[in-house]
Amino acid sequence: LLCLMSDQNNTRSSKAPVFITDIVSMDELLKHGDAQITTFNKGDVVEGSVVNISKHALVVDLGTVSGVVSGSEMMDSAGTMKTVQVGDTVKVVVIGDENAEGQLQLSLRRASQENTWNRFIKDYQDGKIIEVVVMEANKGGLLMEIDGIRGFIPVSQLTPEHYPRVSGADPEKILGKLQALVGQKLNVKIINVNVPERRLILSEKAAYASQRNKVIQKLKVGQTIDGTVSGIVHFGIFVNFEGVEGLVHISEIAWGHVADPTQHAKVGEKVKV
């Protein structure tokens, strides 16, 4: 430690000699002083100040060390890179150890994911209806993606309007009908969210459950209603009305014997039931 000699009036002299009065180890300095060293682990969500911005990297000051966001990790749903400026505080996730320049590897995208997971949890707890865009389809249902988080809508959770009615349950035909929904926006509710397992299950049926129940409560046996044929299978005809779907069993299609329901109706046709 260095100490400057001063006069009796406690005013610093420009010619005061400098003396080494004591030598203290770094361990002792940290033990007795206010200095703290922060350690960072992979997966930590931290905040830091932006100190440099380039086309391919964002350098963030984390206090005792700096970190860099680069490549695809710069892209988040909030579009941070479009508006961020030097001096701004950003939230990042530590994804790797120090590189050759001594900088931690950081991610804006994964920090955005954490925010998105928190939003999904709240939406699930509140029973909120959210809008998603179908990204892919497989034989089991539809997939969507937000901030790299993939959600799944099982076929069983689709509304009658989108349910793939296929005679014989041909897997290829079912897939074809589901693929026709890719790119469409759907209103859904989250019915299962598990962050550790990265699982997000959605339901289109649940989003319309309240509306469906209101329609059903108004129905009475013997009532005649107008509907639209939404599907035809070997055992009958499905009819959709006000978001509710009912089945006209093959025995109720006509007075005589019905061998093939497709001979009595077409999908999209208006009918009275």
Side-chain angles (χ1 to χ4, degrees), residues 130-229:
I130 63 175
E131 183 181 80
V132 298
V133 178
V134 179
M135 304 294 292
E136 297 178 36
N138 59 37
K139 295 174 184 178
L142 305 173
L143 295 101
M144 48 72 67
E145 183 175 321
I146 299 177
D147 268 354
I149 299 171
R150 295 172 72 85
F152 184 62
I153 310 174
V155 170
S156 61
Q157 295 300 321
L158 293 173
T159 58
E161 179 185 358
H162 296 135
Y163 190 89
R165 303 282 181 200
V166 176
S167 293
D170 186 323
E172 294 304 320
K173 290 183 179 179
I174 290 175
L175 179 59
K177 286 184 175 292
L178 292 175
Q179 286 176 332
L181 298 173
V182 173
Q184 289 194 29
K185 295 179 179 179
L186 301 180
N187 288 324
V188 298
K189 273 189 177 182
I190 299 170
I191 58 174
N192 189 295
V193 57
N194 188 315
V195 179
E197 296 183 11
R198 317 302 278 182
R199 184 171 66 241
L200 183 69
I201 307 299
L202 311 170
S203 171
E204 187 185 28
K205 284 173 60 175
Y208 292 92
S210 178
Q211 174 185 329
R212 178 178 181 275
N213 291 337
K214 288 180 181 179
V215 173
I216 290 177
Q217 288 174 3
K218 295 188 297 182
L219 298 177
K220 296 180 181 179
V221 175
Q223 180 181 351
T224 299
I225 58 175
D226 295 312
T228 303
V229 177

Side-chain angles (χ1 to χ4, degrees), residues 3-22:
C3 176
L4 287 175
M5 293 183 64
S6 59
D7 59 23
Q8 294 181 349
N9 293 325
N10 201 32
T11 57
R12 183 173 298 173
S13 169
S14 61
K15 296 182 180 181
V18 176
F19 294 94
I20 297 178
T21 60
D22 197 5

